[in-house]
């Protein structure tokens, strides 16, 4: 039997505008099993990106408000966490290591004013307790792997 690694239940997300609340996502629920793929398909503006960003806890608040729901993520065999109850520091510790996302617009993923190697090295240093020299070596190895 497959293990559920992500369980989103009754997630509702609103955005505050100057005029009113906009209901961007209303009571979405889904599960992702280990080793499986799930596709969110819908029209532009239907809430796909907002849902994904909420799972990563990357929605700016305000204006975004998670009105309802749970986002349970399985970190290990016996440890499941509700992402919405995690502090910023706690989510940063798993973001990029245990959970990640590929953004729609790859041209905005890297800062064009910073060298790519420095950006990747900073990410490695953020998530691993290794020296800068080892992080640089790992960055070079990753670049070699992807050519």
């Amino acid at each position: 039997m497959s293990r559920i690694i992500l369980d989103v239940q009754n997630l509702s997300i609103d955005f505050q505008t100057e005029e009113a609340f906009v209901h961007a996502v209303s009571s979405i629920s889904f599960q992702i099993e280990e080793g499986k793929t799930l596709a969110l398909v819908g029209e532009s503006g239907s809430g796909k990106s907002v849902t994904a960003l909420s799972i990563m806890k990357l929605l700016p608040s305000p204006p975004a408000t998670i009105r309802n729901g749970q986002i349970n993520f399985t970190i290990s065999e016996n440890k499941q966490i509700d992402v919405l109850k995690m502090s910023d520091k706690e989510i940063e510790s798993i973001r990029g290591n245990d959970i990640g996302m590929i953004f729609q617009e790859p041209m905005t993923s890297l800062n064009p004013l910073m060298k790519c190697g420095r950006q990747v090295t900073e990410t490695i240093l953020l998530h691993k307790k290794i020296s800068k020299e080892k992080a640089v070596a790992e960055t070079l190895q990753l670049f070699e792997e992807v050519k």
Side-chain angles (χ1 to χ4, degrees):
M1 183 173 164
S2 293
R3 173 171 75 119
I4 295 171
I5 58 171
L6 182 65
D7 184 16
V8 176
Q9 293 299 316
N10 299 314
L11 184 64
S12 296
I13 305 163
D14 296 339
F15 285 89
Q16 176 69 53
T17 68
E18 290 181 16
E19 295 82 31
F21 275 102
V22 175
H23 304 294
V25 175
S26 183
S27 298
I28 187 171
S29 296
F30 60 88
Q31 296 177 331
I32 301 176
E33 294 181 14
E34 186 173 38
K36 302 288 183 181
T37 302
L38 173 78
L40 291 178
V41 179
E43 295 178 18
S44 179
S46 64
K48 302 177 302 292
S49 294
V50 168
T51 299
L53 289 168
S54 70
I55 292 167
M56 299 291 295
K57 220 172 171 187
L58 290 173
L59 286 176
S61 179
T65 302
I66 297 185
R67 183 170 29 99
N68 187 45
Q70 289 184 324
I71 301 171
N72 295 307
F73 178 67
T74 302
I75 288 185
S76 63
E77 290 292 328
N78 300 319
K79 187 173 182 190
Q80 192 175 66
I81 53 171
D82 183 348
V83 171
L84 299 177
K85 293 180 180 173
M86 296 177 79
S87 69
D88 290 343
K89 186 172 183 157
E90 290 171 323
I91 192 70
E92 283 178 13
S93 72
I94 66 164
R95 197 186 295 137
N97 278 334
D98 300 306
I99 191 169
M101 74 181 281
I102 300 168
F103 292 94
Q104 279 181 200
E105 182 51 58
M107 296 305 288
T108 62
S109 296
L110 293 172
N111 182 341
L113 302 177
M114 260 174 94
K115 291 185 176 183
C116 294
R118 180 173 168 205
Q119 292 178 70
V120 173
T121 299
E122 282 184 2
T123 301
I124 292 169
L125 286 170
L126 181 67
H127 292 289
K128 295 184 176 183
K129 291 181 167 82
I130 61 175
S131 69
K132 185 173 182 179
E133 293 76 24
K134 287 184 180 180
V136 168
E138 187 171 332
T139 298
L140 293 173
Q141 176 61 38
L142 290 169
F143 284 179
E144 181 61 32
E145 286 178 26
V146 297
K147 303 256 187 241

